[in-house]
Amino acid sequence: MARGAPRVRMRRRGLALLVCGGLAAGGLAAAGATGVGPQRADASSHREAPLISGQPQYDNTDVYAFVSPDKPDTTTLVANWTPFEEPAGGPNFYPFPEDAHYDLHIDSDGDAQGDLLYRWTFKTQTKNGNTFLYNTGPVNSLDDPNLNVTQTYDIDLLRLKDQKIVSKSKIADDQPVAPSNVGKASMPDYKKLRDQAVKKVGGGVTSYVGQADDPFFLDLRVFDLLYGGNLSEVGRDTLKGYNVNTVALQVPTAFLTESKDQPTIGVWSTTSRKDAKGDWTQVSRLGSPLVNEVVNPQKVKDRFNASSPWNDAQFLPFVTEPELPKLIESIYKIKAPKTPRNDLVDVFLKGVKGLNQPPGVRPSEMLRLNTSIPPTSSPKRLGVLEGDKAGFPNGRRLSDDVVDAELQVVEGELLGKKNDLGDAVDANDKKFESSFPYVALPTEGSRGPLAKTKSQSDTEVRDQLTGSSVSSGSGDDNTLLTASAAAAGAGFLLIGTGLLWWRSRSRRRARFNPPYSM
């Protein structure tokens, strides 16, 4: 599937996002099955369905699966939750929910049912409930007494057969969660905290749980009538500067696969919540990116979040007759490929034949990764479309531009309609790490125009905060905190002066205007 010669060079790079869902979801066909598990709810991606958009802690945003580039005998699995975490969102910041199951499902034989399930659960501890502070001073380690609110997690490994639990074992017990990145004054070396949260757990698995920069890069303004109706809104990474809550595992590949002869696995994530009766109900689901956002119509989005891959036949019409190409044709006059879109069903619900399609595959929506394909030292942004078989849709690496790849396929790349459509966002705003957990460090709360730059003096920072000149400080790492205190002091002075004036005026009014009485 290497890219052909001529391409239609279009400035319509902004069309990519909406399409990507069409391609990702392209293959929702499966038969029904029953078994144990969460009950269905009339309830993933970023705020993509009506009910889950109001429950961000339970909204799984993305799933990644790739052969570890620095440890090719292992596979790395990453799943993210809680979209659009504003870094300065205190005082509570972004804890993991205690009333949820975060699950990663592994299908080892292509039958659309999970064979392995990794389940995360969380506990919260608060040292001092008499303060509003997340941390009461600088935090230099995960066990620092200044970290007022801490969390731990357990990981249970469930083996399944026909969705019935065969065995259950705990591979992680009370491991520390890396906290939200409050800022430089509170967490002067966040990487140190992140490194401390990387743990060896049972079964030869390496684990990380904590905050990270959102690795998904794309322009979400596609929902404004496909980038403004005239491409006036295109090319900005809408997720730049936002964080997510991340769980990541690095697992010996041989443990995940059925055999050396069948090295392809399917991966998807779900979230379940405990309801008032104490029953667990699935409220979110995610495999390939953007499926529920731009493939499924409003009327089935909540149903998809409560569904399972083996029941995906109910969503097939939205793949074979996708809405997105029709919208692009109506707005930008780019002719939509003919339907039914069997190319999307064959490639994106079953896997690419000869690459990551399991024998006897049961069509269903999930990420499929052929773990026998070694990682490359020079990954291509468009993955398989550029001849890089280690990339999307063979699994998903952090750096894969899934928006552009999906857009081009939905617009007919595999049907001979060569194009270079995309959203003009080709890479993440922050560099990914070269070793596990690979995700970029989260953006810190202390950022923005009032944060001190290298060219600014302490006095200039204080002047910005207070509007007047303040004597220069020592120039140490406490500069911003000191300047903030100066601003706070000025504010308290103004408030105090105003309060005294108001009280004085109130007394005079009371003297000359006695209150009305009956």
Side-chain angles (χ1 to χ4, degrees):
M1 289 177 52
R3 293 170 60 76
R7 290 285 187 272
V8 178
R9 297 289 171 185
M10 301 178 180
R11 291 154 77 183
R12 301 184 166 114
R13 306 255 322 153
L15 306 177
L17 169 47
L18 196 49
V19 171
C20 60
L23 162 338
L28 305 173
T34 59
V36 298
Q39 297 181 13
R40 287 189 51 173
D42 289 327
S44 173
S45 299
H46 299 67
R47 295 174 50 82
E48 87 296 342
L51 289 180
I52 202 62
S53 65
Q55 307 173 50
Q57 286 182 302
Y58 313 95
D59 187 358
N60 34 0
T61 65
D62 287 285
V63 175
Y64 301 82
F66 51 91
V67 177
S68 307
D70 56 333
K71 293 185 176 181
D73 61 337
T74 68
T75 294
T76 294
L77 308 171
V78 177
N80 297 328
W81 276 263
T82 315
F84 298 109
E85 291 183 359
E86 160 57 45
N92 297 307
F93 294 96
Y94 304 100
F96 289 81
E98 295 185 274
D99 64 339
H101 287 161
Y102 281 7
D103 292 344
L104 263 179
H105 306 253
I106 310 297
D107 175 11
S108 301
D109 54 14
D111 67 352
Q113 299 190 51
D115 299 292
L116 300 173
L117 185 154
Y118 290 96
R119 170 166 292 165
W120 286 258
T121 52
F122 305 93
K123 297 176 184 176
T124 304
Q125 306 82 29
T126 302
K127 296 182 178 71
N128 181 4
N130 294 320
T131 177
F132 65 84
L133 294 171
Y134 184 76
N135 58 289
T136 55
V139 177
N140 295 301
S141 65
L142 293 182
D143 58 359
D144 195 312
N146 287 333
L147 185 55
N148 188 42
V149 180
T150 60
Q151 288 197 295
T152 57
Y153 67 92
D154 294 352
I155 303 176
D156 291 311
L157 172 61
L158 284 65
R159 291 181 178 273
L160 307 173
K161 180 65 175 177
D162 297 327
Q163 291 310 116
K164 299 184 184 300
I165 299 174
V166 176
S167 66
K168 180 179 179 180
S169 59
K170 189 175 293 294
I171 66 169
D173 186 18
D174 284 333
Q175 294 298 320
V177 173
S180 296
N181 191 355
V182 175
K184 284 292 187 183
S186 293
M187 297 172 180
D189 187 355
Y190 188 86
K191 187 177 188 308
K192 179 181 177 182
L193 302 179
R194 205 269 286 278
D195 290 346
Q196 290 177 355
V198 175
K199 298 292 185 181
K200 297 286 187 182
V201 296
V205 174
T206 304
S207 170
Y208 171 75
V209 176
Q211 197 177 45
D213 169 71
D214 192 334
F216 197 11
F217 50 94
L218 78 171
D219 193 331
L220 272 169
R221 292 175 295 175
V222 66
F223 297 109
D224 183 10
L225 287 181
L226 277 67
Y227 299 105
N230 59 2
L231 298 178
S232 60
E233 297 186 5
V234 64
R236 188 187 75 183
D237 184 356
T238 320
L239 299 179
K240 179 180 179 179
Y242 289 107
N243 299 323
V244 289
N245 281 356
T246 291
V247 305
L249 293 178
Q250 194 169 68
V251 185
T253 298
F255 183 77
L256 300 174
T257 58
E258 183 182 52
S259 66
K260 288 185 177 180
D261 295 331
Q262 205 308 86
T264 296
I265 60 173
V267 183
W268 74 97
S269 66
T270 60
T271 315
S272 297
R273 291 192 67 181
K274 185 177 288 188
D275 61 22
K277 296 179 180 179
D279 298 324
W280 291 98
T281 302
Q282 182 178 307
V283 297
S284 188
R285 168 189 169 191
L286 188 81
S288 294
L290 297 166
V291 171
N292 211 17
E293 277 162 316
V294 296
V295 176
N296 292 327
Q298 290 283 346
K299 64 182 180 180
V300 302
K301 287 180 180 293
D302 293 329
R303 189 197 315 164
F304 180 85
N305 268 340
S307 67
S308 300
W310 54 88
N311 289 322
D312 278 349
Q314 61 186 310
F315 306 111
L316 181 61
F318 311 123
V319 177
T320 56
E321 301 283 340
E323 179 185 12
L324 180 59
K326 299 173 184 177
L327 294 175
I328 293 175
E329 180 175 351
S330 66
I331 296 175
Y332 293 107
K333 311 309 177 186
I334 302 175
K335 191 169 181 59
K338 293 182 179 180
T339 58
R341 295 296 303 276
N342 294 322
D343 59 317
L344 302 183
V345 175
D346 289 343
V347 173
F348 294 99
L349 292 184
K350 298 179 179 179
V352 179
K353 193 170 184 177
L355 177 65
N356 64 342
Q357 184 179 117
V361 63
R362 182 180 188 175
S364 52
E365 200 289 296
M366 62 182 71
L367 276 181
R368 299 190 190 277
L369 172 67
N370 184 340
T371 60
S372 70
I373 304 294
T376 175
S377 58
S378 301
K380 301 293 186 181
R381 179 174 65 88
L382 297 179
V384 174
L385 285 182
E386 290 188 293
D388 179 2
K389 295 182 179 180
F392 184 79
N394 182 31
R396 182 185 179 187
R397 301 169 298 198
L398 297 172
S399 61
D400 285 337
D401 192 344
V402 296
V403 169
D404 286 16
E406 290 186 341
L407 175 59
Q408 292 175 23
V409 171
V410 167
E411 282 300 291
E413 179 81 16
L414 304 180
L415 298 174
K417 293 186 61 176
K418 304 301 182 181
N419 64 87
D420 273 342
L421 294 177
D423 65 348
V425 180
D426 295 343
N428 192 47
D429 61 299
K430 299 187 74 172
K431 185 178 180 181
F432 298 120
E433 301 289 334
S434 59
S435 59
F436 183 84
Y438 304 106
V439 290
L441 293 173
T443 299
E444 61 208 16
S446 56
R447 77 200 204 299
L450 291 183
K452 179 182 175 183
T453 65
K454 292 182 180 179
S455 63
Q456 283 182 307
S457 68
D458 298 342
T459 301
E460 289 173 323
V461 174
R462 291 191 180 95
D463 287 349
Q464 281 182 282
L465 289 168
T466 64
S468 60
S469 178
V470 182
S471 59
S472 62
S474 62
D476 59 18
D477 290 339
N478 293 322
T479 298
L480 184 57
L481 187 59
T482 304
S484 299
F492 277 118
L493 179 60
L494 289 172
I495 293 170
T497 303
L499 183 59
L500 289 173
W501 172 84
W502 178 82
R503 284 179 175 173
S504 174
R505 188 179 182 192
S506 296
R507 290 192 190 101
R508 289 198 300 270
R509 283 182 173 176
R511 191 177 303 128
F512 296 107
N513 298 289
Y516 176 76
S517 61
M518 295 185 66

